Amino acid sequence: MTSTASRLAFLALLLATTTLYGGSVASAQTAEVPPAITTPERVDTRIGPLDFKDGMPNDETIAKVYDNLAFSHAFQAFVNTMQGVSIRALHKGLLSAGVKDNEVLVFSELMDAKSLFLTANADTVYSMGMLDLTKGPMVLEVPPKALGAIDDYWFRWVIDIGLPGPDRGEGGKYLILPPGYDGPLPSGFNIAHARTNLVIWFARSFLENNDPKPVAETIRKFTKVYPYEAGGVGTPIASFLSGEAKLGKITPPPPTVFHEGTGKVMNTIPPNDFSYFEMLNEVVQQEPAESLDPELMGPIAAIGIIKGKPFAPDERMKKILTEAVALANATSRTLFMAPRDPSFYYYPGSGWQNMLFEVGYEFETPIPRITDDGVVPYPPTGYRALDARTNFFYGVTGITPAMAMRLPGIGSTYLWTMVDADKKPFDGAKTYKVTLPKDIPQANFWSFTLYDNMTRSMLDTPQRYPRAGSQSFPSPAAEADADGTTTIYFGPTQPANVKRGNWIQTMPGKGFIPCLRLYSPLEPFFTKEWRPSEVELVN
């Protein structure tokens, strides 16, 4: 068949096919475009009108869209990764107090309101420090009767230590491995792998007979921080003979350096201005590029914060970042101070809240139920509760499963409220009261602490320690009424006929946040048979 004949045959087949389907070649090419896939010539948005000509944005629209995109990335970088900057701020606070990495800070007479720490307490002896893993694994030996955890530099839980940890409060050795470590592992250590080069550890220890001094002495006696000697203690000779490990020296660890924290002024709160992004850049440069999930690192990279590259925003970008951090901070503060999700509140219709029972320490699956038949886990939700994560890390330092678990007699639990019984914010010039029913469900002790709305740190008043509770240090213990109930008052002056131990001072002109802690909580708290009153306005 000639080429001409082939073309004629093809045209005949095309015409036959077009006729068969009741159309024409021309009509197939000019089918209507569905309206749903078009972009109108003008789109009205919250960033103003956007103009398109046949789908093509004009110059003004292009500028608006890219500015808004940069703003969105910067906003996400704050609300979804602020926990890393929180750790960075804490690290800088430790360094400002003279506490170098691999050293230990101890609050021998408790932490007071002079130190700016997110929702710390004035009831337990804190010890803490930063472990530098850049030169290899580090050993942390913890004292008996501690309660704490190790978190990485993006504020992710690594391992519990002390009572909720594998040493179960007996004290023990923890070997923390750096990212990518594949060397030999010794026996006799509680081993944990970190995803960041630096990790933070913190522990609380309970008073002995209402006295912190013997506790601080125990901490200084038993706490040790030192590099792991590969092939040393924990490596059997048999492992060397079989070629599984090298044989290292047995040398005594260098003495651990301790610093006193009580009464020291230090700031560990992350900033809310442009310097936030400078601090975020410090975290990114310090840690491995893969230490944070790529999806979370995406917005950070989009605003120019990239591992191994200088962060040098131009004036346009700096203006956008400054505006974004202002709105992101306002949003995070609102999520923390006024959450709308009813599941965050521990009792229906109450002001008392703790979202961790609903979202868990990873902000994904609720904390398991504990029944007579054992642990009953909830099915995974399959999504991250982003607002809950932002809420939590805006106001709290430290994350561990032990902060909210339904296991009686172990760990600690918390309830806090931002509003009184009438759902009004607290006024430091007014007096309020809260009543705890008898048989407060705790096996160790209970306490109230007041926090400053602005700093989320302990409220700074002439009392120095803004707390009340069952312990008689550093202020007198609260006293129960004849019927067994205990009433605590919050106000600028001590109410008449109220014992000193039943009153926490407030400051006119300052809002505050009451927080109830139960150490070693008991079953009636988890079943909600026992419930504190709402905080009521007195006058």
Side-chain angles (χ1 to χ4, degrees):
M1 183 182 291
T2 66
S3 59
T4 301
S6 298
R7 287 196 294 273
L8 289 173
F10 172 75
L11 288 172
L13 177 63
L14 178 63
L15 288 171
T17 302
T18 302
T19 302
L20 176 65
Y21 284 96
S24 66
V25 174
S27 65
Q29 292 176 337
T30 59
E32 283 192 22
V33 177
I37 71 168
T38 65
T39 299
E41 295 252 335
R42 169 159 286 207
V43 180
D44 292 319
T45 72
R46 63 173 53 198
I47 64 171
L50 305 177
D51 295 307
F52 298 84
K53 185 174 182 180
D54 191 28
M56 181 66 188
N58 64 16
D59 290 345
E60 185 179 357
T61 293
I62 292 171
K64 284 182 182 178
V65 167
Y66 276 105
D67 282 357
N68 183 66
L69 184 60
F71 182 95
S72 299
H73 287 317
F75 181 92
Q76 294 299 325
F78 187 101
V79 299
N80 286 332
T81 62
M82 66 178 297
Q83 50 269 38
V85 178
S86 184
I87 284 285
R88 183 62 178 166
L90 198 160
H91 190 186
K92 283 178 171 284
L94 294 178
L95 293 172
S96 73
V99 184
K100 300 176 183 178
D101 298 342
N102 303 326
E103 297 180 347
V104 181
L105 181 65
V106 183
F107 291 82
S108 300
E109 294 187 14
L110 308 186
M111 191 184 298
D112 62 19
K114 300 303 179 186
S115 296
L116 296 178
F117 275 83
L118 292 175
T119 52
N121 69 65
D123 296 293
T124 59
V125 179
Y126 277 101
S127 56
M128 65 185 68
M130 194 72 62
L131 301 182
D132 182 357
L133 308 176
T134 56
K135 296 179 181 178
M138 292 292 296
V139 177
L140 170 65
E141 295 189 20
V142 303
K145 300 180 181 179
L147 173 67
I150 298 174
D151 290 341
D152 75 10
Y153 218 89
W154 288 109
F155 235 142
R156 293 170 301 209
W157 177 69
V158 176
I159 191 171
D160 283 326
I161 59 177
L163 289 164
D167 72 273
R168 300 295 296 275
E170 296 297 313
K173 295 182 179 181
Y174 290 78
L175 179 63
I176 312 304
L177 306 178
Y181 180 81
D182 60 357
L185 298 177
S187 59
F189 291 81
N190 300 301
I191 298 174
H193 294 256
R195 295 169 62 184
T196 56
N197 291 325
L198 279 82
V199 299
I200 181 81
W201 68 271
F202 55 90
R204 294 155 292 167
S205 296
F206 304 132
L207 307 188
E208 292 184 11
N209 298 317
N210 292 300
D211 187 355
K213 291 184 177 61
V215 182
E217 291 173 2
T218 297
I219 292 171
R220 292 174 184 270
K221 178 180 179 181
F222 288 99
T223 304
K224 296 179 182 178
V225 177
Y226 53 91
Y228 167 62
E229 183 75 38
V233 174
T235 301
I237 295 294
S239 296
F240 165 71
L241 295 175
S242 65
E244 297 175 7
K246 72 175 187 177
L247 197 60
K249 297 180 296 182
I250 304 297
T251 55
T256 300
V257 177
F258 292 91
H259 298 263
E260 180 54 56
T262 300
K264 279 197 174 181
V265 176
M266 67 185 83
N267 174 34
T268 70
I269 311 298
N272 300 324
D273 57 12
F274 177 78
S275 65
Y276 172 89
F277 294 108
E278 295 174 321
M279 202 174 284
L280 179 60
N281 180 59
E282 293 171 3
V283 179
V284 170
Q285 301 308 325
Q286 170 189 285
E287 297 303 335
E290 66 276 12
S291 66
L292 190 64
D293 297 340
E295 290 292 329
L296 290 177
M297 193 64 85
I300 298 174
I303 60 175
I305 298 177
I306 300 173
K307 176 79 171 179
K309 295 185 179 181
F311 175 53
D314 57 21
E315 287 305 310
R316 164 190 165 270
M317 194 64 176
K318 191 169 183 178
K319 180 175 182 293
I320 291 172
L321 295 178
T322 302
E323 292 174 350
V325 75
L327 182 58
N329 173 66
T331 301
S332 302
R333 175 171 285 277
T334 300
L335 286 170
F336 177 64
M337 300 294 294
R340 283 185 170 178
D341 189 333
S343 69
F344 288 8
Y345 295 89
Y346 196 61
Y347 311 100
S350 173
W352 294 112
Q353 58 174 291
N354 185 335
M355 86 291 291
L356 291 184
F357 288 101
E358 179 67 20
V359 300
Y361 75 97
E362 290 187 313
F363 306 95
E364 191 272 326
T365 300
I367 293 170
R369 291 180 291 118
I370 307 297
T371 71
D372 293 339
D373 298 322
V375 178
V376 180
Y378 287 92
T381 62
Y383 62 85
R384 192 82 63 199
L386 299 179
D387 289 350
R389 183 175 64 186
T390 300
N391 170 326
F392 183 85
F393 283 114
Y394 192 79
V396 181
T397 294
I399 188 69
T400 160
M403 294 181 76
M405 56 184 178
R406 297 184 173 94
L407 187 61
I410 296 179
S412 55
T413 195
Y414 316 84
L415 292 178
W416 58 91
T417 181
M418 311 295 182
V419 294
D420 66 16
D422 297 319
K423 301 298 189 287
K424 301 294 183 183
F426 295 107
D427 182 345
K430 297 179 180 179
T431 299
Y432 302 83
K433 69 175 182 179
V434 58
T435 300
L436 304 180
K438 66 178 182 178
D439 300 325
I440 300 171
Q442 48 78 29
N444 201 319
F445 71 91
W446 65 269
S447 74
F448 272 105
T449 307
L450 295 190
Y451 296 100
D452 184 311
N453 278 358
M454 186 61 70
T455 66
R456 293 91 74 202
S457 302
M458 282 189 279
L459 188 66
D460 194 3
T461 72
Q463 280 186 337
R464 185 181 175 190
Y465 298 97
R467 51 80 62 192
S470 57
Q471 299 186 146
S472 60
F473 184 92
S475 55
E479 298 182 28
D481 294 329
D483 62 358
T485 64
T486 304
T487 302
I488 304 297
Y489 291 80
F490 313 134
T493 57
Q494 185 173 342
N497 301 318
V498 170
K499 301 288 186 179
R500 168 62 184 85
N502 294 63
W503 167 63
I504 307 178
Q505 189 173 24
T506 61
M507 295 292 287
K510 295 292 297 181
F512 59 89
I513 305 164
C515 178
L516 170 64
R517 283 178 169 84
L518 302 176
Y519 282 89
S520 301
L522 301 178
E523 187 70 17
F525 173 80
F526 299 110
T527 61
K528 302 182 183 179
E529 298 170 49
W530 182 92
R531 172 178 174 172
S533 76
E534 300 301 298
V535 182
E536 302 172 355
L537 176 64
V538 176
N539 56 54

